[in-house]
Amino acid sequence: MRASHPDPRDTVTDPTDGALAIGVDVGGTKVVAGLVDAQGVLLSTARRNTPGRTTEATVVEDVIVDAVNEVVGFAATHLPTREVAGVGLGAAGFVSADRSTVVFAPHLAWRHEPIRDRLAERLGLRVTLDNDANAAAWAEFRFGAGRGESRMLLVTLGTGIGGALVLDGRVERGRWGLAGEFGHMQVVPDGVRCECGNRGCWEQYSSGRAMQREARGMLEQDSPYAAGLAAYCDGDPARVEGHHVTQAARTGDVAALELIGDVGRWLGLGLANLAAALDPGRIVVGGGVSEAGDLLLEPAREMFARRLAGRGHRPVAPILAAELGPAAGMVGAADQARRQAGG
């Protein structure tokens, strides 16, 4: 995430306009490398499965190198006159303040791994490293729903909640590089136990996991109210997923609409807390759960307006859906790599 002082490499001046870069999204289930141009357009991708968390850390590096080399090969064949300025890595985990080391990745075997320098040596290219949410926020700020707003908050709803903050045209990473762990704000004292070890964390009430948990509870009661939702998982509560709830809600299923509405209202509550602390000019919501669109965002906006500190006497930041989808991490990481190469 971020060092204690603004990083000049994150400014909006672009000294490498025209150069290509490669962004790599490293998650718990997949590694995706993408070739990205200076306008944030994704030109080619290479996808690999992520080795399990019990695998040696170097095996994950092998997968990244293999995917990047495939994209480099595409560039050499199809765009031979265009320079590849560097590789940007967006990792799902805690990144050190100097952006050289993955301190901890919950879904990988990385523990204090100096990934940046090891990959640079193996690839023969300049490598930058950042948390995946920071990379996605930078992409939305540069090319997506955050364009034109110097103070943008990104919140990503997936299995849990992540996010990042762009302040005055730079990613705010915090003193120790760990800013943006919004999902672990405690919103319900002594509430639902979270895997982080605390209780009542925001992501236990507004996330894909929360929606799935509530849907399963509804189905386990064998209620006629959930009959429509049951059809998406053959009546087996253990098989219901968040995307089933979204699909059912789009058909007007009352139970599914209620579940998404609950997640949306919890989202709005948490965003009001963040607005009280950070005062962003625009809030962008991404992640898989956000694919529900206004079914999620309208309840969030209503709750946000009701719970905002100083409501009625202050501007209300708009809450918008992210525009770049799953490519955001790759696009943002690639753009960071191009900028560092020019600075």
Side-chain angles (χ1 to χ4, degrees), residues 136-156 163-170 182 202 267 270-272 274-286 297 301 304 308 314-324:
W138 184 253
E140 291 290 343
F141 166 71
R142 287 273 289 131
F143 308 111
R147 291 188 307 275
E149 174 54 60
S150 64
R151 289 179 169 256
M152 184 205 81
L153 174 68
L154 173 73
V155 173
T156 58
L165 185 65
V166 177
L167 290 178
D168 297 329
R170 62 178 178 83
F182 305 135
W202 186 26
L267 172 62
L271 292 178
L274 288 173
L278 303 173
D279 192 27
R282 191 176 305 167
I283 298 170
V284 177
V285 179
L297 295 183
R301 291 173 183 129
F304 179 76
L308 186 64
R314 61 177 289 174
V316 178
I319 300 173
L320 305 176
E323 294 181 1
L324 300 181

Side-chain angles (χ1 to χ4, degrees), residues 229-237 239:
L229 185 57
Y232 287 85
C233 58
D234 296 327
D236 183 356
R239 292 176 55 189

Side-chain angles (χ1 to χ4, degrees), residues 6-336:
D7 190 333
R9 296 171 296 188
D10 284 349
T11 61
V12 295
T13 301
D14 189 352
T16 58
D17 188 26
L20 303 174
I22 296 171
V24 186
D25 186 2
V26 184
T29 60
K30 66 183 184 302
V31 170
V32 187
L35 185 68
V36 182
D37 71 13
Q39 288 71 48
V41 177
L42 191 61
L43 304 175
S44 177
T45 61
R47 175 173 173 150
R48 302 289 187 273
N49 292 329
T50 305
R53 72 178 74 186
T54 60
T55 308
E56 290 291 328
T58 53
V59 177
V60 183
E61 291 178 35
D62 293 341
V63 171
I64 294 170
V65 169
D66 187 49
V68 169
N69 283 337
E70 180 179 328
V71 175
V72 169
F74 175 92
T77 300
H78 298 280
L79 299 161
T81 63
R82 303 283 294 278
E83 175 193 4
V84 176
V87 177
L89 207 67
F94 293 168
V95 174
S96 62
D98 65 1
R99 297 169 61 187
S100 68
T101 301
V102 176
V103 177
F104 172 72
H107 303 295
L108 300 172
W110 285 350
R111 304 292 184 270
H112 297 279
E113 299 291 339
I115 298 300
R116 183 191 65 189
D117 294 342
R118 288 211 300 251
L119 286 174
E121 182 176 356
R122 293 185 63 178
L123 292 167
L125 291 165
R126 184 190 296 266
V127 175
T128 64
L129 173 66
D130 208 345
N131 169 268
D132 58 346
N134 287 342
W138 184 253
E140 291 290 343
F141 166 71
R142 287 273 289 131
F143 308 111
R147 291 188 307 275
E149 174 54 60
S150 64
R151 289 179 169 256
M152 184 205 81
L153 174 68
L154 173 73
V155 173
T156 58
L157 272 68
T159 303
I161 296 179
L165 185 65
V166 177
L167 290 178
D168 297 329
R170 62 178 178 83
V171 178
E172 174 55 55
R173 295 182 175 85
R175 175 62 181 88
W176 308 111
L178 303 179
E181 294 297 328
F182 305 135
H184 299 292
M185 297 187 305
Q186 293 180 46
V187 296
V188 179
D190 299 320
V192 175
R193 175 74 70 180
C194 181
E195 64 181 10
C196 78
N198 288 324
R199 288 184 178 273
C201 292
W202 186 26
E203 70 176 38
Q204 293 303 315
Y205 301 90
S206 185
S207 65
R209 179 186 288 117
M211 192 158 62
Q212 181 185 61
R213 183 188 65 235
E214 294 301 310
R216 287 180 177 177
M218 190 178 287
L219 290 168
E220 285 167 357
Q221 298 300 316
D222 198 24
S223 169
Y225 185 62
L229 185 57
Y232 287 85
C233 58
D234 296 327
D236 183 356
R239 292 176 55 189
V240 72
E241 303 286 346
H243 65 88
H244 294 141
V245 179
T246 299
Q247 291 170 7
R250 285 175 176 156
T251 69
D253 182 82
V254 175
L257 287 168
E258 180 179 308
L259 289 168
I260 288 182
D262 287 345
V263 169
R265 283 181 282 277
W266 278 110
L267 172 62
L269 173 65
L271 292 178
N273 290 341
L274 288 173
L278 303 173
D279 192 27
R282 191 176 305 167
I283 298 170
V284 177
V285 179
V289 178
S290 70
E291 293 177 2
D294 282 343
L295 295 175
L296 172 80
L297 295 183
E298 278 305 311
R301 291 173 183 129
E302 291 171 8
M303 181 60 77
F304 179 76
R306 285 174 52 196
R307 296 300 180 91
L308 186 64
R311 55 191 175 276
H313 302 283
R314 61 177 289 174
V316 178
I319 300 173
L320 305 176
E323 294 181 1
L324 300 181
M330 281 185 290
V331 171
D335 197 60
Q336 289 175 334

